[in-house]
Amino acid sequence: MRKFKIRLTVISLIAVILSLFMQETLAYYSTIGKSSNVVTSGNLKMLIHEKTDQGNDFPAEGVYIMPGDVVSKRVTVENICEHPFYLRVRVVFGVNAEVLSAEDCFKLNINEEDWQLVDGWYYYRRILAPGETTPEVFSHVEIVGAKVDNSYIGKTLTLTVDVQAVQSENNPVPGNETFRAAGWPKE
């Protein structure tokens, strides 16, 4: 029995010594390192064009209106970067810095063939390639006479066009459902 205990102790000691050598050997053949990778993202750039029926720029100072007037305002968006993208447009209406709903004063003739309304945004149904310009989002704004009464005298009605884009490269969507693209900013 005593010989067995001595043998067991010797074998255990040899196993411990071998494991120490193996750890050094394993450490010798393994390495730890760091890598720094730089990832840059591109910029999507666009221009909003606001023209009149005559092809002139829409006046920056606005126009004088009367209830029932139909104002020419042709809004398009041009891709001025090197990457194609999906595009959406929101029209924000206001009076003296207060936001209005569209029904309060304005009526737009939206181009529903090329633009789709989803959750308050008009989504362009196709990818906008570099150098391309969209068809008009709308071309005329009607001042709703029944809604614009004497309480609006001396006030400034505003129509603001907000535009957002997300990359279309490596961002597929089914059919013309560009509103399903990944990456649209949260409100």
Side-chain angles (χ1 to χ4, degrees):
M1 183 71 134
R2 187 178 158 137
K3 285 185 181 185
F4 178 72
K5 286 184 180 180
I6 292 174
R7 277 188 180 172
L8 186 60
T9 306
V10 170
I11 291 174
S12 298
L13 188 59
I14 291 172
V16 168
I17 291 172
L18 283 176
S19 69
L20 289 174
F21 285 123
M22 291 295 275
Q23 284 180 348
E24 279 186 37
T25 305
L26 287 175
Y28 179 74
Y29 287 110
S30 64
T31 184
I32 297 173
K34 268 186 178 178
S35 176
S36 297
N37 297 308
V38 177
V39 178
T40 58
S41 59
N43 291 325
L44 301 179
K45 297 178 185 173
M46 67 203 84
L47 282 176
I48 301 171
H49 298 286
E50 297 178 319
K51 303 282 185 182
T52 65
D53 282 341
Q54 294 76 33
N56 302 322
D57 288 337
F58 192 82
E61 67 279 357
V63 294
Y64 181 79
I65 55 142
M66 296 290 293
D69 282 354
V70 176
V71 178
S72 168
K73 185 173 179 118
R74 299 181 174 277
V75 176
T76 60
V77 181
E78 180 183 2
N79 180 344
I80 59 169
C81 69
E82 299 175 3
H83 301 282
F85 53 73
Y86 300 115
L87 179 70
R88 70 181 183 179
V89 172
R90 176 175 57 187
V91 182
V92 181
F93 306 97
V95 61
N96 288 9
E98 292 180 32
V99 176
L100 298 172
S101 70
E103 297 79 30
D104 286 336
C105 298
F106 301 98
K107 181 179 176 186
L108 302 174
N109 67 324
I110 299 294
N111 171 357
E112 294 178 359
E113 182 178 327
D114 296 304
W115 297 87
Q116 178 180 15
L117 179 63
V118 177
D119 296 329
W121 289 88
Y122 292 98
Y123 290 81
Y124 184 51
R125 294 179 187 263
R126 292 181 280 290
I127 294 172
L128 190 60
E132 284 187 341
T133 301
T134 66
E136 296 168 347
V137 182
F138 59 90
S139 60
H140 295 86
V141 180
E142 180 183 343
I143 311 307
V144 181
K147 301 282 184 165
V148 181
D149 57 17
N150 288 340
S151 66
Y152 288 93
I153 292 176
K155 294 187 178 179
T156 301
L157 295 173
T158 59
L159 183 146
T160 305
V161 177
D162 291 337
V163 179
Q164 294 180 346
V166 296
Q167 73 179 39
S168 61
E169 297 164 308
N170 301 316
N171 192 0
V173 298
N176 293 333
E177 297 179 342
T178 57
F179 62 92
R180 295 189 188 276
W184 291 115
K186 300 284 185 231
E187 304 280 336

